[in-house]
Amino acid sequence: MADSPKLSEPPGGSAGRVRWRRFAVLTVPAVAVTAGLGIALAQGALAASFAVSGQQFKVSAKSLEGEGFAQYGSVDVNARQELIPVAVTAIKEAKLHSLCQSVVTTLPVIGDISLNLTAGQKSPVEASNLFVDATQLSGDAVFSNIEIGRDASTLDKGPADAQGMQDLFAQQADTVSISNLQQTAWATNAGTFKLSGLNMNISKGKKECF
């Protein structure tokens, strides 16, 4: 019986096989991340609809009144495809008094540069279908008809798209009122965002809302 045909060894003999094995090991994490992102997208787990920057920003307000409140866990993704856990606060209609937003950037040679935005000192800032992807939130809050521990995929009091992954913890309420609001966030989305008395300035040094 004739000998079976043999596959020729890649150039470099066994070293070639080692290089291929290393290549395979290196590609596994990338494939896993891509697959994880695909699953997250399919299940509605990703929060912001854009790649977030590498900087968080701070937001404060003297008071916030909202109708149609929902809150649940989710993830943002940055330009390097890294997943960032966040708590999404979603409100159908919101009014904020004395709004402040700040972000600090550190540049070589120059040092800290602060961008500050204020609005709503006289007439409140108004937002519809507001989504805030935050890592910290504090204040004095009052909720009406609140549901705590609801499945995130079944939320129905907030904006239409305010739902998380099945089996995850969430809460919702008919209305929310928060005084002395302070939060640190990665992203904000809104259907409409009306800022009365808008004022924005950039200055050297670290000048934050809180």
Side-chain angles (χ1 to χ4, degrees), residues 178-200:
I178 304 176
S179 58
N180 302 315
L181 170 68
Q182 294 183 347
Q183 63 182 1
T184 306
W186 284 105
T188 296
N189 291 338
T192 60
F193 206 38
K194 180 181 177 181
L195 296 99
S196 60
L198 172 65
N199 182 49
M200 185 184 76

Side-chain angles (χ1 to χ4, degrees), residues 53-58 101-116 186 201-208:
S53 74
Q55 296 178 279
Q56 295 191 74
F57 55 92
K58 292 185 176 182
Q101 178 179 301
S102 65
V103 62
V104 178
T105 301
T106 302
L107 300 175
V109 182
I110 298 176
D112 291 335
I113 300 293
S114 296
L115 186 152
N116 290 79
W186 284 105
N201 66 78
I202 297 176
S203 57
K204 292 187 65 175
K206 184 176 287 187
K207 299 177 182 178
E208 299 181 285

Side-chain angles (χ1 to χ4, degrees), residues 47-53 76-78 133 186-189:
S49 57
F50 50 85
V52 300
S53 74
D76 282 343
V77 60
N78 61 24
D133 303 348
W186 284 105
T188 296
N189 291 338

Side-chain angles (χ1 to χ4, degrees), residues 111-130:
D112 291 335
I113 300 293
S114 296
L115 186 152
N116 290 79
L117 179 153
T118 59
Q121 304 298 324
K122 296 181 179 180
S123 301
V125 170
E126 299 179 5
S128 64
N129 295 325
L130 176 67

